[in-house]
Amino acid sequence: MSVNRETALREISDIILPDGRTLEKADLVRAFSVDGDTVRFVLEVADAGVARALAPVEAEAKRRLSAMPGVEKVQIVMTAPAGKPQAQPHGHPVRSSGAAPSLQIGRHPTAQAGPQPIPGVKSIIAIGSGKGGVGKSTVTSNLAVALARAGRRVGLLDADIYGPSQPRMMGVSGRPASPDGQHIEPLHAHGVTVMSIGLMLKEGEAVVWRGPMLMGAMQQMLQQVNWGELDVLLIDLPPGTGDVQLSLCQKAAVDGAIIVSTPQDVALLDARRAIDMFNKLKAPVLGLVENMSTYVCPNCGHEAHLFGHGGVAAEARDLGLPFLGELPLELETRLAGDSGRPVALGSGVTADAYARLAQRLVDQGLA
């Protein structure tokens, strides 16, 4: 009988450690593999003292796995890098006022049986783009604000792990609290519940993580944040078609994706790749948005199309997808984003365009 990796991993996940956590919650298991009738993995701990204390845990894990049908050999390696607290190689600890909890962001993902709903969240919408520089994050923050102004309960997850910009755009700062060391309390701004990896870092600090750590961070920000009761959670994805997008669709029950593009051909080429990715991940594309569609000179009123015009609408028609609207290019949008007060909070042409986009999602029952 062959041994299933996920079944074997679950077999040891609830073993209790001396500090009261389970082996799964402590996130100590690394490189778990099943090769024929042999199960191998690494227990990564902080130091030699902890390794000695976990000897009974190692023995119990070996006993459970050896008792499984089809398992003939169990190989466990205990690593104890001297002088390195465990939180450091895998992420940034979340600090709250008072006692500092042990929760860390950027650990390896835990086993999960397919995409899961987020408790209290009715709808999950991903905002994606094929390339950077098309204003995807600006669209996400303003759409979140516009939906909140339309009376919806809105969450905003900044999943652009390498380039988190939502804390600046939404005007939030400070580390989120984690009173129990297991769940994160998000921040709030302009009627929107906000969470971002950028809130865990110093401004300008780089995230240098491999794929498994990105996936673990996504899983934590989806399932370990106290999102509360939300009509919709908007997820600001990084550009492209990489680990974060894959992890999102594997871990969360995404209701659909909105693709943001500028009108020119080079952006549309990459937008097609993003659409193809969501199709392959079985996440329906809800429609396309043309950003930076037109520019009106504030002095003379002349209208110019700096990146072309109508390309996204034409692309939507060709692909049989809804065209959700045009958003202008204007200085006020940039100034508002830099100041932490999205332009959708005010009035004018751009705010009205976001209000229409928000209302369209509400009318379709997506928010």
Side-chain angles (χ1 to χ4, degrees), residues 6 50 57 60 112 156:
E6 300 303 326
V50 175
V57 172
E60 174 64 8
Q112 181 178 304
L156 170 54

Side-chain angles (χ1 to χ4, degrees), residues 152-226:
R152 314 314 287 167
R153 296 169 299 179
V154 185
L156 170 54
L157 171 57
D158 184 358
D160 193 347
I161 304 293
Y162 290 133
S165 56
Q166 293 300 345
R168 169 64 65 89
M169 290 185 170
M170 293 296 290
V172 294
S173 61
R175 284 181 181 266
S178 178
D180 63 357
Q182 298 295 325
H183 298 88
I184 305 168
E185 296 295 333
L187 302 186
H188 302 271
H190 316 306
V192 178
T193 301
V194 183
M195 180 60 198
S196 170
I197 192 67
L199 296 169
M200 308 294 182
L201 310 171
K202 297 176 183 177
E203 191 168 30
E205 183 178 358
V207 175
V208 186
W209 289 344
R210 295 186 185 275
M213 293 161 72
L214 292 174
M215 297 174 76
M218 274 298 302
Q219 185 179 39
Q220 287 177 275
M221 290 196 294
L222 288 166
Q223 299 292 346
Q224 290 184 249
V225 172
N226 290 329

Side-chain angles (χ1 to χ4, degrees), residues 307-329:
F307 299 101
H309 183 257
V312 178
E315 188 71 18
R317 285 194 302 272
D318 291 345
L319 296 173
L321 294 170
F323 177 61
L324 299 178
E326 300 176 352
L327 299 168
L329 173 66

Side-chain angles (χ1 to χ4, degrees), residues 45-69:
V45 297
D47 52 44
V50 175
R52 286 190 294 270
L54 290 183
V57 172
E58 180 183 7
E60 174 64 8
K62 190 167 188 176
R63 183 193 69 78
R64 291 190 185 189
L65 291 170
S66 297
M68 292 184 68

Side-chain angles (χ1 to χ4, degrees), residues 33 35 37-40 62 65-66 70-75:
S33 67
D35 182 11
D37 60 2
T38 302
V39 178
R40 300 184 180 90
K62 190 167 188 176
L65 291 170
S66 297
V71 175
E72 296 295 330
K73 185 185 298 183
V74 178
Q75 297 177 344

Side-chain angles (χ1 to χ4, degrees), residues 4 69 78 107 158 243 253 311:
N4 180 275
M78 188 97 72
R107 68 190 192 188
D158 184 358
D243 286 329

